[in-house]
Amino acid sequence: MNENYLKLPQKIDEHFIERAKKLSTANLADGMASLSIRRGGCMDPEILAVDEKMRFCATAATVETEDGDNLPIHIAIYQAEPGYALVVDGKGYRDRAYMGDLMVGASKAVGLEAVVLDGYVRDKEGLKSLNLPVFARGYMQRSPAKKGPGKINTPILCAGVEVFPGDLICGDYDGVIVIPKEHIEKVLKKAEDKVAYEEKRTKAIEEYEKNRLEGKETASLAPQWVSEMINK
């Protein structure tokens, strides 16, 4: 086996995965920001879902390749297991697609939760029909090359974000975020706290609008932190 082809990382505890699935990538980004974590974060905004209705949270398994070469992606797919998302640093290569519906179909067959690719894909309609989350920079019809060797399950820089094998990666209609494995619990707690705050603010906004429309007296709508900043 090539020395750059490493084994799958340890899976993230399912308890954390289930908590993450209840949060949006925006919620998770807020949790990251509140802790000032340097590694990980939001991928480039061009990395978007083929189908915006699909979302995922999973343990990251990584691939590094370039120039449209999908040989290491093939190898990574065939050694994958359920519970992982395949995260491919394709260097944003534009002239070839790295994969299409056949490779994504194989990814689904082995149980991968998603594919995230810093590069381009093809077979858009076929990909949508497979019901597996796929995130990429866009579409290119030209077929991939097959050269190798590439790297599997080593640290990568994917779409502006450093990703280590075993990190938590989540994607939805807003994009993709990576949470370093050593910070998962803290980020989830901060994100859940922010969701609770936003739910409280939503109720306050709805109550304000209801009272205004009914001609009732309204309290200040501005949250306390805004008032404090205005009065500094």
Side-chain angles (χ1 to χ4, degrees):
M1 177 67 74
N2 186 297
E3 63 180 5
N4 291 323
Y5 294 173
L6 304 182
K7 293 181 179 180
L8 288 165
Q10 181 176 344
K11 288 181 188 176
I12 296 166
D13 189 292
E14 191 62 28
H15 170 67
F16 292 139
I17 296 291
E18 290 305 313
R19 285 171 64 184
K21 285 180 177 179
K22 296 176 183 177
L23 301 164
S24 69
T25 57
N27 298 147
L28 293 167
D30 289 342
M32 289 277 288
S34 68
L35 293 166
S36 301
I37 295 171
R38 297 182 65 182
R39 187 173 75 76
C42 300
M43 288 191 176
D44 291 344
E46 292 81 10
I47 305 297
L48 293 172
V50 168
D51 184 344
E52 289 187 355
K53 297 189 293 294
M54 303 199 70
R55 57 171 298 169
F56 76 95
C57 289
T59 304
T62 65
V63 178
E64 183 177 359
T65 187
E66 59 187 354
D67 297 335
D69 173 21
N70 74 0
L71 178 59
I73 305 175
H74 275 282
I75 295 168
I77 289 170
Y78 304 140
Q79 71 178 33
E81 298 175 2
Y84 293 92
L86 195 64
V87 188
V88 182
D89 171 20
K91 316 296 183 188
Y93 188 72
R94 297 172 56 90
D95 290 347
R96 293 178 182 272
Y98 276 105
M99 58 198 309
D101 53 8
L102 285 178
M103 289 180 70
V104 173
S107 300
K108 182 180 179 183
V110 301
L112 281 167
E113 303 291 329
V115 174
V116 177
L117 172 63
D118 186 359
Y120 292 76
V121 294
R122 64 180 187 174
D123 306 326
K124 181 176 181 178
E125 291 303 312
L127 295 181
K128 283 185 176 181
S129 71
L130 287 168
N131 200 35
L132 182 76
V134 176
F135 291 73
R137 286 192 179 270
Y139 306 96
M140 162 51 68
Q141 303 94 320
R142 192 175 295 117
S143 61
K146 290 173 175 60
K147 297 180 294 183
K151 296 180 180 180
I152 296 173
N153 290 321
T154 62
I156 60 173
L157 184 66
C158 186
V161 176
E162 193 174 17
V163 187
F164 280 44
D167 284 346
L168 174 63
I169 184 164
C170 299
D172 63 15
Y173 39 79
D174 280 338
V176 177
I177 188 167
V178 177
I179 299 169
K181 51 192 170 186
E182 63 271 24
H183 296 301
I184 291 172
E185 188 166 14
K186 290 184 291 184
V187 171
L188 290 176
K189 178 62 169 61
K190 288 290 187 179
E192 289 161 349
D193 289 346
K194 183 64 182 297
V195 169
Y197 165 80
E198 290 181 349
E199 289 174 349
K200 185 176 180 180
R201 279 293 297 157
T202 297
K203 290 180 181 178
I205 292 168
E206 290 172 349
E207 183 68 17
Y208 180 96
E209 182 179 26
K210 178 175 179 292
N211 288 339
R212 180 183 64 79
L213 292 173
E214 292 176 356
K216 296 180 181 178
E217 184 176 349
T218 57
S220 173
L221 183 59
Q224 184 176 349
W225 65 267
V226 173
S227 301
E228 290 173 352
M229 293 190 73
I230 292 172
N231 295 323
K232 277 187 177 181

